[in-house]
Amino acid sequence: MAHTYISDFKDHVGQTITAKGWVYNARFGKANIFVEMRDGSGYTQCVFSADDLDEATFEAAKKLTRESSFAITGKVVQDERQVGGYEIHAEQLEVYDYAVDYPIKVNETEHGVRHLADRRHLWLRSKRQWAILRIRNEIIMAIHDFFQGQGFVQMDAPIFTGNACEGTTDLFETDFFGETAYISQSGQLYGEAMAMAQGKIYTFGPTFRAERSDTPRHLAEFWMIEPEMAFFDNEMNMDMIEKFARHVVSRCLENRQTELQILGRDIEKLESVKQVFPRVSYDDAIDILTGKKEVNGKNAITVQEEDLAAAKSGIEEKKKDIADREAAIKAGMKKGARKFNEAKIIALRSEIAELEEACRNIPKWIASAKNFVHGEDFGNSDETVLTRVFSAPVMVYNWPAKVKAFYMKEVDGDPNYVKGVDLLAPDGYGEIVGGSERETSLEVLVRKIKEHDLPMEAFEWYLDLRRFGSVPHAGFGLGLERMVRWVCGIHHLRETIPFPRRYGRLLP
Ligand code: 4AD
Ligand code: MG
């Protein structure tokens, strides 16, 4: 018999259907067993009642452990109080497999990260991971819809490449039938060739960087979306980045409310994409970062000092709250109230830990911002400090040539600067997009390839794009996982992709 997905229960209220899935959680009473079932499409409550079932079926239900797989036949009942808004009253049960000692608890935060990462193949089943990866899927669909709706053609760049794109330090090298090859850092150079054929294209593929550091925002394998547009300058590029980011985030706000709620995402913060994205030059950004220049009356350094003071007083308040609750528990209270307060204390402790981390970090961030050397690239904390004074994502343009790639177009009359642009997400999420207008002059490109110490032979094909009908063009790259991280409001990229590949992690 065909089964019904939990996401379709709304169309089956009052009907007897069969659902198939796994035990997410279970509570066992004498007369009733409540099983929270997940089937991939959603979550629902299954009620097994001793009064309604024959003994064998009720006994079978009694043995349901976490992640056991089963089919249930029963009536769909609307119940606002239940997860998903429905429950199913069991009439029949068929067990596929009783799972023994499933190694991940419902509350996954009780495990260390390593325990979870080692079991990523199972961890994917947890509610939080389910929500994150459904948002990832929404983002992917929104990206395709956006570009397809604007007449872009999706084209694929090769993964094996004979040349670097973004600098040689983090290239993965491999053997290609006896020749040295690299696995792609970026599809951009091929994207430029394809844009000269199709006008507006985007690539959507895996990219690889040998980042030998364990940071929350670097993966060794990540997915990049790289649009490239003929006859676009960097202004038009920035218009496109802004419209694109707004479209993708807005789609998630519209279609993924349940998932965002599971993640506890502060929706109001994401709504900032609906505002105009401020555009600041690199030089202005440095003045803002170092506190020389204010934004809407806000000084970046002062704001950090205020955040630090707020964190300190927050810690004191929460400590007092914990002490009060502990005293009240000691004085005696009913079991339910005690449980509630104990859970609250655990939550308060983790909030304190976060504030303590802020207290350790902010002084370092302030020092780094104040001592920022003009001409350097932004560090992680510099992006956090800079974006904190804005209420929307920020675009920083016109970068020092020496921190950016060889292909970026020089600013007219000032070869020390290039027409690059980074999109910085607020609240510490940092760089999401990097892009630029591309150099069109054959002479300048040849000089830049030499200056960057890149092998000219490998770029001959690329230089042909400037020999035959060179036109102004621009494009950008979105790191998919960085976008997922920001939309979901999570700390680490390891949770934004089904099977992360990063320094020190090849299994599972
Ligand atoms: O700024 P990047 O290096 O730019 C490029 O690769 C250009 N070729 C893009 C273009 O103009 N077509 O990388 C683009 C984005 C970054 O903004 C970031 O979101 C993401 O890719 N990214 C990473 N994501 C995860 N792990 C890493 N190691 C990443 N490195 C870059
Ligand atoms: Mg970049």
Side-chain angles (χ1 to χ4, degrees):
M1 183 169 118
H3 68 287
T4 304
Y5 287 98
I6 294 169
S7 57
D8 294 331
F9 275 13
K10 58 184 181 311
D11 305 324
H12 296 275
V13 177
Q15 295 172 14
T16 294
I17 54 93
T18 298
K20 298 183 176 182
W22 295 262
V23 175
Y24 189 67
N25 206 356
R27 278 187 296 130
F28 301 92
K30 272 212 176 67
N32 290 300
I33 297 168
F34 301 96
V35 171
E36 189 180 345
M37 177 195 221
R38 57 167 198 89
D39 75 345
S41 80
Y43 292 79
T44 196
Q45 170 154 282
C46 306
V47 185
F48 297 89
S49 175
D51 288 347
D52 303 343
L53 296 168
D54 60 59
E55 208 183 313
T57 306
F58 194 71
E59 285 304 311
K62 260 190 191 168
K63 292 191 290 178
L64 284 173
T65 49
R66 192 155 144 66
E67 289 305 322
S68 292
S69 46
F70 66 103
I72 177 175
T73 301
K75 196 190 259 177
V76 175
V77 176
Q78 195 156 13
D79 185 342
E80 290 301 324
R81 294 163 309 171
Q82 293 311 324
V83 252
Y86 302 91
E87 61 181 21
I88 175 164
H89 290 185
E91 290 161 21
Q92 286 169 43
L93 168 67
E94 183 195 337
V95 177
Y96 290 99
D97 181 38
Y98 284 108
V100 181
D101 295 337
Y102 186 70
I104 299 176
K105 293 183 185 150
V106 172
N107 181 7
E108 64 180 55
T109 57
E110 287 179 35
H111 299 288
V113 167
R114 192 175 192 102
H115 178 94
L116 296 168
D118 284 344
R119 293 163 184 78
R120 183 63 176 167
H121 50 293
L122 301 175
W123 186 20
L124 289 175
R125 303 181 188 190
S126 84
K127 201 177 269 182
R128 178 179 154 91
Q129 303 306 314
W130 174 83
I132 294 169
L133 292 169
R134 283 167 75 91
I135 290 172
R136 179 184 168 106
N137 176 63
E138 187 72 40
I139 290 172
I140 292 169
M141 296 311 288
I143 289 168
H144 283 296
D145 286 349
F146 178 83
F147 287 123
Q148 295 290 333
Q150 310 240 351
F152 283 66
V153 177
Q154 201 253 307
M155 294 183 86
D156 304 311
I159 307 290
F160 285 117
T161 63
N163 53 269
C165 178
E166 295 299 318
T168 50
T169 48
D170 58 6
L171 277 175
F172 276 113
E173 208 178 287
T174 186
D175 174 86
F176 188 75
F177 306 121
E179 262 184 280
T180 299
Y182 308 104
I183 47 176
S184 182
Q185 282 176 312
S186 156
Q188 180 197 318
L189 304 185
Y190 300 96
E192 289 182 51
M194 297 187 286
M196 298 305 124
Q198 301 275 359
K200 288 189 288 190
I201 66 96
Y202 66 109
T203 65
F204 196 137
T207 44
F208 306 86
R209 296 192 190 179
E211 307 273 3
R212 284 185 170 273
S213 54
D214 181 6
T215 84
R217 51 188 224 152
H218 290 102
L219 293 169
E221 177 178 306
F222 61 100
W223 288 70
M224 197 165 15
I225 294 84
E226 295 185 271
E228 192 70 35
M229 297 82 71
F231 307 105
F232 265 55
D233 62 16
N234 210 28
E235 291 295 318
M236 297 160 82
N237 200 24
M238 287 193 268
D239 293 343
M240 187 62 79
I241 292 171
E242 181 170 347
K243 262 204 314 207
F244 168 65
R246 184 173 298 133
H247 172 88
V248 171
V249 177
S250 303
R251 262 277 293 265
C252 294
L253 285 168
E254 262 166 51
N255 295 349
R256 292 296 143 203
Q257 285 167 2
T258 307
E259 288 82 355
L260 290 167
Q261 207 180 344
I262 288 172
L263 298 171
R265 181 65 166 121
D266 185 343
I267 301 296
E268 236 169 76
K269 289 196 168 164
L270 276 183
E271 300 269 357
S272 73
V273 290
K274 294 180 178 159
Q275 301 170 28
V276 172
F277 295 7
R279 299 176 188 190
V280 292
S281 70
Y282 172 88
D283 284 352
D284 283 344
I286 300 309
D287 285 347
I288 295 166
L289 179 66
T290 51
K292 267 193 218 134
K293 197 169 180 169
E294 300 197 335
V295 177
N296 304 325
K298 283 195 224 163
N299 180 296
I301 302 291
T302 316
V303 167
Q304 290 303 316
E305 285 162 355
E306 287 164 5
D307 285 353
L308 180 60
K312 282 180 179 160
S313 64
I315 291 172
E316 290 318 309
E317 270 167 41
K318 287 176 201 293
K319 280 188 174 161
K320 178 156 188 318
D321 193 354
I322 290 178
D324 291 348
R325 285 174 198 272
E326 281 174 343
I329 290 172
K330 221 172 168 190
M333 60 172 65
K334 284 201 175 132
K335 192 177 164 201
R338 197 189 69 221
K339 284 225 146 129
F340 172 81
N341 277 291
E342 282 168 353
K344 188 77 198 171
I345 288 170
I346 292 172
L348 283 165
R349 288 215 177 98
S350 87
E351 287 165 24
I352 289 175
E354 267 173 43
L355 291 174
E356 283 172 344
E357 198 188 338
C359 289
R360 284 191 297 274
N361 284 335
I362 295 175
K364 291 186 232 161
W365 297 352
I366 293 175
S368 162
K370 278 184 174 165
N371 299 325
F372 192 90
V373 179
H374 186 278
E376 297 287 310
D377 202 352
F378 291 150
N380 199 350
S381 74
D382 302 321
E383 291 175 353
T384 306
V385 174
L386 175 67
T387 52
R388 181 73 178 87
V389 294
F390 294 96
S391 52
V394 183
M395 287 192 273
V396 180
Y397 63 90
N398 282 10
W399 286 76
K402 81 167 180 55
V403 298
K404 291 291 184 191
F406 76 96
Y407 53 71
M408 292 194 186
K409 188 176 173 63
E410 291 180 346
V411 170
D412 314 304
D414 193 351
N416 291 321
Y417 286 84
V418 289
K419 296 185 180 183
V421 54
D422 277 7
L423 173 66
L424 307 179
D427 308 314
Y429 294 103
E431 182 191 335
I432 300 280
V433 165
S436 70
E437 188 172 334
R438 319 306 189 187
E439 185 58 68
T440 47
S441 150
L442 181 62
E443 289 68 37
V444 176
L445 263 184
V446 167
R447 166 166 62 77
K448 291 294 255 323
I449 290 171
K450 285 183 189 150
E451 279 171 13
H452 281 79
D453 216 11
L454 296 164
M456 195 66 69
E457 330 73 77
F459 290 92
E460 277 305 329
W461 70 266
Y462 180 68
L463 293 172
D464 269 356
L465 306 177
R466 275 59 175 183
R467 292 187 182 107
F468 306 108
S470 184
V471 300
H473 63 291
F476 61 91
L478 167 78
L480 177 62
E481 291 75 18
R482 297 263 181 103
M483 179 60 112
V484 175
R485 174 179 180 242
W486 171 38
V487 171
C488 293
I490 55 181
H491 176 63
H492 205 295
L493 282 189
R494 67 162 71 92
E495 293 182 76
T496 60
I497 184 165
F499 291 95
R501 292 291 172 256
R502 41 194 294 274
Y503 189 56
R505 174 64 62 186
L506 188 59
L507 286 172

